[in-house]
Amino acid sequence: MNAVDQLCGGRINFRDDLERLIDLAASKNKMPLLEEISFNAKFSAGLLNVVQKKNSTVDEEYFMKAVEEYTQVIEKIKNLLRDMISSDSEFIQSVFAEKYFQLSQQSLSNLNLLCADLSYLKLYFNDVKNK
């Protein structure tokens, strides 16, 4: 967690939740799952950037494809996160469900912020692999 914190300059949005996911992955032998989550989170962050900054230079067909892919990857991330926390307490599962999985603007905003955090984790994984 300290290396990720350093990598992002201390700009983690949901430090406790990211730390919980890292701890769960390490203790339950789910590191490949965490890597998959972080990969998809980084991908979703890129798609979200395209969707949010739509301008007249972006082809409408490409924009619609980006929106569709973003929707699909967000659902995939939710499912992967559910799988990750399935071995945690019911309380933690309910916290994640309320905070990230509801069909509300706040939950989607929270999930996007968690994906930004997980994107830094993906960068960390890339750094470790390159060393």
Side-chain angles (χ1 to χ4, degrees), residues 2-101:
N2 291 335
V4 174
D5 234 355
Q6 189 174 24
L7 185 65
C8 72
R11 293 186 307 258
I12 297 293
N13 300 294
F14 294 113
R15 181 182 179 79
D16 291 345
D17 293 340
L18 183 60
E19 199 162 13
R20 176 171 305 283
L21 292 171
I22 292 169
D23 288 345
L24 261 175
S27 67
K28 301 293 184 185
N29 201 22
K30 292 184 174 186
M31 288 308 286
L33 179 57
L34 185 59
E35 288 185 29
E36 185 178 359
I37 293 168
S38 67
F39 171 82
N40 282 286
K42 181 127 179 67
F43 182 62
S44 76
L47 289 171
L48 181 62
N49 193 33
V50 168
V51 170
Q52 287 179 332
K53 294 184 178 183
K54 182 187 188 282
N55 58 42
S56 59
T57 62
V58 175
D59 178 50
E60 186 66 28
E61 185 177 326
Y62 173 76
F63 175 76
M64 294 309 294
K65 184 173 170 39
V67 169
E68 181 180 329
E69 283 186 51
Y70 170 75
T71 303
Q72 291 171 353
V73 78
I74 284 296
E75 284 305 312
K76 183 174 185 175
I77 291 166
K78 286 180 183 180
N79 290 330
L80 292 169
L81 285 170
R82 283 184 187 103
D83 189 20
M84 175 64 79
I85 63 171
S86 66
S87 58
D88 211 332
S89 70
E90 285 187 31
F91 173 74
I92 295 301
Q93 291 179 46
S94 68
V95 168
F96 267 70
E98 186 170 321
K99 193 170 185 179
Y100 301 113
F101 305 151

Side-chain angles (χ1 to χ4, degrees), residues 117-130:
D117 296 344
L118 288 160
S119 293
Y120 288 118
L121 183 61
K122 174 61 179 158
L123 293 176
Y124 169 76
F125 286 145
N126 288 349
D127 283 353
V128 169
K129 286 179 183 175
N130 290 331

